[in-house]
Amino acid sequence: MPERINVNGVLGPPEAAAVSPLDRGFLYGDSVYETIRTYGGRPFLLRQHLDRLRRSAGRLDIPYDRAPVDIEREILRTLVDAGSPETAIRVVLTRGPGPIGYDPETCGPPTVVVYARPCPEIPAAWLREGVDVAVVQVRRNSPSALDPAIKSSNLLNNFLAWQEARRLGAYEPVLLNAGEHLTEGATSNVFVVRSERLLTPTLEEGLLEGITRGAVLDLARHDGIETAEEALTADDLRRADEAFLTSTLKGVLPIRRCDGWPIRHGRPGAITRRILALFEEFAQAETKTGSAPGSILR
């Protein structure tokens, strides 16, 4: 299926897209982004993602309202143009072009890039059996340095963690903060189940407030599952009864092993399976797919 890129309203194939080499997003990583996916061809939780994009831009003083195009409109236009059955969309908002140097006063207007590609498929075996994670030596950025709560395009911290996980043969790295507490994965939030309680690190530990993370917490609470956000250690993950990852493109993805050792029995437990079912029902309801249960996550 084709990939399409939209730069400030100009749509075309990736090889035709162009951003100025003097764009601050290219020069300094001075940009923010969101990843959105479709279910049944419809964007999932689009409003929440756009709200977070605006918040991230605000944290960096990138003037969201000065964007040269309507971002939501261009997302929908690019989605139609891509024509994939299911689409992954990356939206990047930069401060725009400007002279070399840190002073942003003469920069802009902002640059908007919308990249649409076929949504990566999660193998059924991963949902059924889980994936492997590794607690890596790379530490999460401190909120007092580059706050992970800003969904910034400056992703070297995540990339270095991902490289380490690949060397260890793991699918996803899990990062600790300077206090040795769990934060998140390079591309995901982390949940553990212990004594039938669903736990995830607090935002104060230094992590992104994931859209899927929030949806899972709400779904679990409404279903009567006891949940808590609290400080967790690597051993809380390794010794968990169950564990899983959440993200826009992964949805809910069980963890089977951490650092090479099985999580409990090494397969998804009852609460993880329940969360998977609740999330699937929610995605179908939100996008009004009308599809048979199980179809949109395969």
Side-chain angles (χ1 to χ4, degrees):
M1 301 300 296
E3 298 183 355
R4 306 296 283 172
I5 293 187
N6 179 330
V7 180
N8 290 334
V10 178
L11 258 167
E15 60 270 19
V19 173
S20 168
L22 294 179
D23 194 282
R24 296 271 296 208
F26 172 75
L27 288 174
Y28 304 119
D30 187 7
S31 61
V32 294
Y33 78 100
E34 282 292 324
T35 299
I36 304 159
R37 69 152 296 169
T38 64
Y39 288 107
R42 298 178 177 87
F44 181 54
L45 300 180
L46 178 59
R47 177 52 47 201
Q48 290 89 326
H49 282 286
L50 289 175
D51 286 347
R52 188 172 63 181
L53 183 70
R54 183 184 286 274
R55 291 197 302 272
S56 291
R59 291 284 303 276
L60 297 182
D61 291 327
I62 294 175
Y64 186 100
D65 292 328
R66 286 186 56 210
V69 293
D70 183 299
I71 295 175
E72 182 173 359
R73 178 179 178 274
E74 294 307 318
I75 289 171
L76 297 175
R77 198 162 71 90
T78 308
L79 179 61
V80 170
D81 192 66
S84 299
E86 298 294 4
T87 306
I89 305 156
R90 189 182 185 93
V91 185
V92 182
L93 177 67
T94 86
R95 196 178 302 277
I100 296 290
Y102 291 139
D103 188 352
E105 288 301 315
T106 57
C107 296
T111 299
V112 177
V113 178
V114 181
Y115 170 39
R117 62 189 172 99
C119 193
E121 190 170 341
I122 298 294
W126 293 5
L127 293 170
R128 185 174 60 250
E129 301 167 11
V131 296
D132 295 354
V133 303
V135 178
V136 295
Q137 293 301 307
V138 174
R139 290 296 183 261
R140 198 68 179 99
N141 288 330
S142 168
S144 63
L146 177 58
D147 192 348
I150 304 169
K151 200 167 176 66
S152 157
S153 299
N154 191 322
L155 294 171
L156 275 179
N157 185 227
N158 307 59
F159 175 65
L160 291 172
W162 182 90
Q163 280 189 315
E164 185 180 342
R166 281 299 180 268
R167 290 194 293 269
L168 295 170
Y171 168 78
E172 176 83 340
V174 175
L175 294 88
L176 305 178
N177 60 22
E180 300 292 316
H181 289 162
L182 289 180
T183 61
E184 58 190 341
T187 61
S188 62
N189 290 117
V190 180
F191 285 80
V192 303
V193 177
R194 190 176 59 208
S195 301
E196 299 188 350
R197 297 176 70 231
L198 182 62
L199 309 174
T200 196
T202 68
L203 299 177
E204 288 72 25
E205 296 294 350
L207 57 133
L208 181 71
E209 187 174 5
I211 302 295
T212 306
R213 172 188 182 273
V216 164
L217 285 170
D218 287 344
L219 290 167
R221 288 165 181 152
H222 288 138
D223 197 57
I225 299 171
E226 185 179 353
T227 67
E229 298 172 66
E230 59 185 52
L232 300 169
T233 66
D235 280 343
D236 287 320
L237 173 57
R238 296 180 185 119
R239 298 172 182 171
D241 298 325
E242 307 173 38
F244 58 84
L245 307 170
T246 62
S247 77
T248 293
L249 297 184
K250 296 176 183 62
V252 176
L253 188 58
I255 297 172
R256 64 177 178 180
R257 284 192 292 255
C258 178
D259 298 336
W261 293 93
I263 300 292
R264 192 72 170 183
H265 301 299
R267 59 181 182 272
I271 290 180
T272 299
R273 294 195 303 271
R274 180 60 184 151
I275 294 294
L276 272 164
L278 289 169
F279 182 74
E280 179 178 356
E281 292 169 5
F282 175 64
Q284 288 182 339
E286 283 292 306
T287 53
K288 299 179 175 61
T289 63
S291 54
S295 61
I296 62 173
L297 300 182
R298 297 194 187 104

